[in-house]
Amino acid sequence: MNKTLTMNNTLALNKTSPLKKPTLVVALGGNALLRRGEPLEAAVQRRNIAIAAKTLAALSQEWRIVLVHGNGPQVGLLALQNSACTQVAPYPLDVLGAESQGMIGYMLIQELKNCLPDREISALLTQVEVDPHDPAFQDPTKFIGPVYNADQAAELIKLKGWEMKADGKYLRRVVASPLPLHIIEGAAISTLVAHDHLVICSGGGGIPVVRSDAGMTGIEAVIDKDMSAALLARQIKADALLILTDADAVYLNWDTPQQEALRHTTPQTLSTMHFDAGSMGPKIRASCDFVTATGGIVGIGSLEEGVAIMRGDKGTLITPSSQTQH
C-alpha cells in the first residue's frame, strides 16, 4: 500500500473490505480520559471512556484501529495511593504503569464492546525498551497525577521528595520520560491486527524496561504515550496516526490573545516553531517523526472529533510537504 496518503485517497481506501482498511494508530491522552480539574474517580473516567468508545467505534468503520492510551493522571493517583501505605515499600513506577494498563484497558474493552458487540477487541500488556542512560533520567518532564497549588506542592516535595514543575497556573509532579526504542510485543500486536482485532496496547506509553545480561527488567519512568504510539505506528507499518487530547487543535501562542490554530501543516513548518516540552512538544515531535519516516499522515485534536480530524475538517492535520492542504 502506498504510504503517502492524501485525505481523498484515504477515503477511497476505506471503501474496500474490512481487512483492506488502512491501519490507524490512535493515541488517546490520559488527560482526555480524566480531564484537567475533574476528580480522579472511576465514575468520571468511565463517562469519558464512553465518549472515547463512540469516537473509536466511528473511526473503526474506515480504519483498522490500534489504540495507545495515556496514563498520566491514573499512574499519578496510583502512586499517591501506593505511598499512603507505610507498612510496605512503595511499588516502582513500572509496576504501577502495568497496573494502569490493566485498569484503563478493562474499561476501554468494556465500553468498546458495548459499541461494537461483533468486533474482536483485545488489550495487550505491553513492554517498551528504553535506554537506561537516556538524559531524560536527569531532567524529568513527564507530568503525572493531579495538579496542586504552591502550598500543596511544597508539602509533597517535603514529605515524598517528588519533583514538581509548572503545568499552566498549577504545579504537578514530573518523572523521567525516556525515549521509547522498541515495542517488545510488536509482533503480537501485528498478528492481532491481521486477524481484525481492535487492539489496545502500549498503555501509558508502555511499561518501561531495560535490557541487560540478565534479560529485561523494569525501570522507574513513564514513557510519553505519543512518542510510543509513533514508534508503534512505524514498527507495525501503520498508515496514519491520530493523537486525541484535551485541546481541539495545535495552537501557536497557546493561552494568549494571539493564539492561532494550525489546521494543515507539515513537519518542515513545525520544525521552526516552539512547543512546551511538558504538553504539546512530544506530540509534535512524535508526529513529525512518523510523517517524515513513513510519508503517512497525522491528525491532532479533541476526543469527540476523531473522524472529522482524519477527514481534514477539524483539528490539525500534518502531512508530507507535497500533501499539504490549503
Side-chain angles (χ1 to χ4, degrees), residues 68-183:
V68 175
H69 61 79
N71 72 343
Q74 296 87 351
V75 78
L77 175 62
L78 289 174
L80 277 172
Q81 294 172 330
N82 187 46
S83 66
C85 180
T86 58
Q87 283 75 33
V88 297
Y91 283 114
L93 277 174
D94 60 303
V95 174
L96 298 182
E99 287 186 26
S100 75
Q101 284 191 5
M103 175 179 68
I104 300 170
Y106 156 65
M107 293 183 181
L108 283 166
I109 283 180
Q110 196 168 73
E111 290 299 335
L112 283 166
K113 203 66 174 169
N114 288 339
C115 293
L116 299 167
D118 297 325
R119 285 296 306 275
E120 294 291 341
I121 301 169
S122 299
L124 185 65
L125 200 67
T126 314
Q127 303 171 94
V128 176
E129 184 180 355
V130 301
D131 181 355
H133 305 296
D134 190 303
F137 287 104
Q138 306 305 316
D139 181 24
T141 59
K142 178 64 177 174
F143 291 119
I144 66 170
V147 295
Y148 303 101
N149 63 35
D151 291 339
Q152 292 170 327
E155 184 69 14
L156 286 167
I157 291 169
K158 179 181 177 182
L159 289 176
K160 302 181 183 299
W162 290 350
E163 187 165 346
M164 299 276 185
K165 288 186 179 179
D167 183 10
K169 62 181 180 179
Y170 296 100
L171 292 164
R172 202 171 171 199
R173 185 185 177 191
V174 288
V175 299
S177 184
L179 287 176
L181 301 178
H182 181 69
I183 312 294

